[in-house]
Each structure stands twice: as C-alpha cells, then as structure tokens.
C-alpha cells in the first residue's frame, strides 16, 4: 500500500508496514503487532518526537555501555524488524554481540532473525539457550540465555523487553538499558536507564551518541553514567500530560 507523504500518520503507518512485512517473513509474531500498538499509543502522547529526556537517557546509556566489560544487546522479533541496521551498528561500535531472545521461543524464528541481522551488518549473533537467568518460575523458557552472552554480561541493552525478564536481569546483578515508549511499564521502572522513545528513533539516536562518546576518558564516562532514571521517567510522564492538557484548553 502506498501512503501519501503528507499523511499525518505517515511515519507510524510506514513502521506498521515494516512490522507486517516482518510477520510475513517469519520474524515477528501476531502478539508482537499488539505490543507495537501499545507503544504507538504512548508515541502519540509524545507527539512522535524524541523528547529531551530520551536524549539525556541515551547519554547515560551510552556511558554505561562504553564502560561495560561485557556488554550484550538482546534482540527480539520486533526490534530485528524495526531497527536491524542501527542495532548492528551499535553492536559494531561496542564490539558487543547481539543475542536473539524471544518471548515466544521458536528455533526457526530465532534462526530467521539471526540471518536478518547478519544481512544488515551484524558481525556476531548469538542464539539464546544453554544457560538460564535466575528468576521467577513463571519466566519458564523465557529465562534461557546464551552462556557466552547475557549469562555473563554486565550491561544488557534491551530494546523492547518484557517486565519479568528485565526484573530477572536486574536481580542477577546486571545493569539494564531499556528502550520503551511506556514510561509507566515495569520494564521502564526497573531498568537502570530507560530511553522513552520509539525504537525507530532511539536506535539511531543511541548509535550516534555512542559514536560521539567513544574514546572519552573513564572519569568523564563515569560522570555521564550517573543518572536518576525514576526522575527522568517522571519528567516524561509530565511532558505527556502537559502536552495534552495544553491542547485541550
Ligand atoms: P511490562 O512487561 O514492562 O510491564 P507491558 O506488559 O505493558 O510492559 P509488553 O507487551 O511486555 O508491555 O511489551 C511491549 C512494550 O514495548 C510496551 O511497554 C510498549 O510501550 C513498548 N513498545 C512497543 N513498540 C515499541 C517501539 N516501537 N518502540 C519503543 N517501545 C515500544
Ligand atoms: Mg509484559
């Protein structure tokens, strides 16, 4: 379907089509489309632009990732369909592997996602399995992680993650950088640093921020990594409310 450029939802419709293509290609699940819908509702409240809070969070996130000894990037179907090139770029900038981690486990879909990421320039893609991150029994197969990936990582980037799994990573003593449009989600609230932004904007933003900060001395990274995540999330919530009460008046 061709979407006229001037359509007010042009970008959002394009992104939907990318996910639908991902569904046809066997990367994305039907539930993934619903998750995107939840995200879109919050993007609408943001005005579909990266807020300054996202830029601030991206700086703190970049500092954490650059300081990490073993950073790993966790990828699911939606993130692979939405931002494969930028995630591959982040992986190269950090020398960190991408690890495929699915909510609905499927070996076939894992392999398709890995191939898709490699085709977009990812040098190393790990497939989940082998080790388990300790967590509630309800985590079930979702606790599977790669023994040389997330299992031994100190900082994990989770673009689009579920709250239970984010909690399990934090309890395992890891620092977590999340991308989530919902500033109220359990993921957003439990992560070490949350970038509240659409992944299609947050991934290139983080890649650019990393590029700019690469090579900074340790003390400067240390300062940039200090971050009040809850305070930043509260400011995004206020921004969303202010924007819409302002329009109503
Ligand atoms: P949680 O498990 O953290 O409590 P949830 O159960 O409400 O959150 P899930 O269905 O587990 O949500 O995951 C979807 C999450 O991903 C939502 O919080 C949604 O805002 C976010 N999301 C979906 N699409 C995007 C996107 N393109 N960019 C950023 N965030 C997104
Ligand atoms: Mg959830």
């Amino acid at each position: 379907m061709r979407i006229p450029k001037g359509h007010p939802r042009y970008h959002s419709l394009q992104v939907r089509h990318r996910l639908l293509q991902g569904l046809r290609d066997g990367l994305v699940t039907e539930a993934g489309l619903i998750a995107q819908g939840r995200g879109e509702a919050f993007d609408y409240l943001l005005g579909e632009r990266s807020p300054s809070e996202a830029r601030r969070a991206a700086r703190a996130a970049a500092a954490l990732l650059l300081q990490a000894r073993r950073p790993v990037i966790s990828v699911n179907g939606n993130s692979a369909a939405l931002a494969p090139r930028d995630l591959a770029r982040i992986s190269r900038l950090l020398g960190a592997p991408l690890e495929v981690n699915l909510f609905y486990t499927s070996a076939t879909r894992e392999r398709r996602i890995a191939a898709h990421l490699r085709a977009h320039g990812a040098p190393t893609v790990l497939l989940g399995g082998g080790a388990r991150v300790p967590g509630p029994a309800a985590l079930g197969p979702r606790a599977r992680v790669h023994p040389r990936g997330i299992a031994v990582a100190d900082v994990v980037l989770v673009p689009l993650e579920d709250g239970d799994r984010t909690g399990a990573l934090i309890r395992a003593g890891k620092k977590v950088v999340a991308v989530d449009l919902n500033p109220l989600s359990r993921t957003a609230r439990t992560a070490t640093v949350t970038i509240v932004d659409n992944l299609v904007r947050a991934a290139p933003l983080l890649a650019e921020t990393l590029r700019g900060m690469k090579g900074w001395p340790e003390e400067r990274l240390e300062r940039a990594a200090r971050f009040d995540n809850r305070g930043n999330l509260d400011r995004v919530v206020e921004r969303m409310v202010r924007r819409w009460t302002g329009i109503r008046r």
Side-chain angles (χ1 to χ4, degrees):
M1 191 186 80
R2 297 233 355 112
I3 309 158
K5 269 245 153 92
H7 192 285
R9 297 264 88 70
Y10 177 78
H11 286 292
S12 144
L13 290 170
Q14 280 228 314
V15 172
R16 282 189 182 184
H17 282 274
R18 226 183 286 171
L19 278 178
L20 286 171
Q21 190 56 50
L23 181 72
R24 285 190 289 268
D25 295 342
L27 307 172
V28 170
T29 61
E30 286 159 339
L33 302 183
I34 300 173
Q36 170 71 12
R38 174 134 54 199
E40 282 179 5
F42 287 96
D43 208 10
Y44 200 103
L45 297 177
L46 266 187
E48 295 173 347
R49 272 196 306 262
S50 306
S52 55
E53 291 79 15
R55 290 172 202 289
R56 254 178 247 128
R59 275 171 63 90
L64 276 185
L65 288 162
L66 288 167
Q67 282 182 306
R69 277 178 306 101
R70 280 169 173 271
V72 175
I73 304 148
S74 175
V75 182
N76 64 11
N78 279 34
S79 50
L82 290 177
R85 214 174 287 284
D86 290 303
L87 292 175
R89 184 164 173 232
I90 292 170
S91 162
R92 290 196 305 272
L93 279 163
L94 290 169
L98 296 166
E99 176 172 333
V100 181
N101 252 288
L102 304 182
F103 191 96
Y104 300 99
T105 324
S106 144
T108 318
R109 203 155 63 84
E110 271 186 12
R111 278 197 301 275
R112 286 207 188 105
I113 292 171
H116 182 72
L117 293 168
R118 284 195 208 98
H120 285 84
T124 315
V125 185
L126 305 172
L127 297 184
R132 286 179 69 82
V133 65
L139 220 48
R142 292 182 287 143
R144 286 169 71 228
V145 285
H146 196 282
R148 281 181 289 111
I150 292 176
V152 291
D154 53 347
V155 183
V156 190
L157 169 63
V158 291
L160 315 186
E161 187 54 282
D162 164 64
D164 294 325
R165 230 161 33 183
T166 308
L169 294 175
I170 292 283
R171 277 191 301 277
K174 300 174 194 306
K175 289 187 174 150
V176 174
V177 174
V179 177
D180 195 330
L181 273 162
N182 178 1
L184 304 168
S185 79
R186 290 173 308 150
T187 301
R189 299 258 145 201
T190 45
T192 317
V193 174
T194 309
I195 304 171
V196 178
D197 202 0
N198 197 318
L199 183 64
V200 299
R201 298 186 302 265
L205 171 65
L206 182 59
E208 259 323 288
T209 310
L210 281 167
R211 196 184 56 81
M213 290 169 67
K214 215 177 153 170
W216 277 19
E218 202 58 35
E219 319 81 75
R220 199 167 169 206
L221 287 177
E222 192 71 55
R223 274 198 305 278
R226 267 183 233 141
F227 191 66
D228 170 15
N229 200 45
R230 290 294 179 94
N232 197 59
L233 288 171
D234 290 345
R235 280 191 291 280
V236 183
V237 175
E238 278 162 28
R239 175 189 292 279
M240 288 176 173
V241 172
R242 234 188 303 122
R243 180 177 163 88
W244 292 98
T245 48
I247 280 175
R248 238 195 297 125
R249 246 180 253 124

